[in-house]
Amino acid sequence: MPDTQVREKTPVDFWFDPLCPWAWMTSRWMLEVEKVRDVEVRWHVMSLAVLNEDKLDQLPEAYRWLAGPKGFAPVRVVVAAQQKHGDEAVGKLYTALGTRFHNNGEGPTREAIAGALADAGLPAELIDHADSEEYDELLRASHADGIDRVGQEVGTPVISVPGADGAEVAFFGPVVTPTPRGEDAARLWDGTLLVASTPGFYEIKRTRTAAPSFE
């Protein structure tokens, strides 16, 4: 008789801000991992605007807009879409936003957000939430849920998975360019879980020498 047992997929919780090109590439890597490992990504927002709102004097002037209204706009729209159209809307809208912001080079403009809503099949009126604080409490709660798992010294993305003993393993990153595909994606995933689940392990890092490559 055929084996009809269906293996339960491992949930992977992924926190992102659509503004971040590095998180965007990591998110596309996770979609590759879904094809080659029994994992299922659950998308959540975090916010560079929230992360940096008390650090304006430490940010280069060119990045201070991140903590202002323009920095809040994309995640506000994503949270509104989630509240009105369910969790499934989050991943679809993130893909549409990231494609326009990063791959197409449109940047986080209001026009790009409106276009992403159309691409994701979501109502155009959600753009009104770009300037609304209606769901900011939920946005901040989602941000805190992710960032509290790894500490305040990191940014986006944050990934959380069940470890080998059932305890949560959460980590920042991996930061990689370009996005690994196929078995390369699988090897990076396996290695990332290996080091992240090692007791006492905290960090591997080197200086980035390449810009994001959206291949």
Side-chain angles (χ1 to χ4, degrees):
M1 295 180 61
D3 183 2
T4 59
Q5 184 177 4
V6 178
R7 286 194 294 180
E8 185 175 342
K9 293 187 176 183
T10 300
V12 179
D13 290 290
F14 189 109
W15 281 263
F16 67 90
D17 187 321
L19 296 172
C20 180
W22 297 102
W24 171 244
M25 283 184 295
T26 305
S27 73
R28 301 309 92 180
W29 164 68
M30 280 308 315
L31 293 183
E32 289 289 312
V33 175
E34 279 190 321
K35 300 174 185 177
V36 291
R37 293 291 183 267
D38 289 326
V39 303
E40 181 177 14
V41 183
R42 302 186 298 200
W43 305 102
H44 312 272
V45 296
M46 62 180 295
S47 171
L48 293 172
V50 173
L51 188 69
N52 291 294
E53 63 185 350
D54 296 326
K55 307 173 186 176
L56 282 179
D57 58 338
Q58 301 173 32
L59 292 177
E61 190 169 346
Y63 292 99
R64 290 180 185 175
W65 63 270
L66 286 171
K70 188 176 179 182
F72 273 102
V75 283
R76 281 174 168 164
V77 172
V78 174
V79 174
Q82 181 183 35
Q83 294 305 303
K84 293 177 180 290
H85 300 279
D87 291 342
E88 191 174 301
V90 177
K92 289 196 301 183
L93 183 53
Y94 181 29
T95 289
L97 288 167
T99 299
R100 284 182 172 268
F101 288 3
H102 306 301
N103 293 64
N104 297 352
E106 297 178 38
T109 64
R110 192 176 185 89
E111 293 75 18
I113 297 171
L117 287 169
D119 296 341
L122 292 166
E125 58 265 25
L126 285 170
I127 191 65
D128 295 337
H129 289 276
D131 306 311
S132 170
E133 298 179 4
E134 180 178 359
Y135 296 119
D136 276 12
E137 185 175 346
L138 293 173
L139 187 163
R140 290 176 179 275
S142 179
H143 172 89
D145 186 28
I147 204 73
D148 286 350
R149 298 171 192 239
V150 290
Q152 298 297 318
E153 294 79 24
V154 303
T156 175
V158 170
I159 300 178
S160 177
V161 299
D165 60 357
E168 178 190 66
V169 177
F171 51 88
F172 162 70
V175 175
V176 59
T177 186
T179 297
R181 310 287 180 183
E183 283 304 310
D184 288 339
R187 282 194 294 271
L188 178 58
W189 176 248
D190 294 342
T192 299
L193 287 188
L194 177 64
V195 297
S197 61
T198 300
F201 174 83
Y202 290 103
E203 186 175 8
I204 291 177
K205 191 171 183 179
R206 63 176 179 160
T207 299
R208 292 193 297 266
T209 58
S213 174
F214 309 117
E215 297 178 6

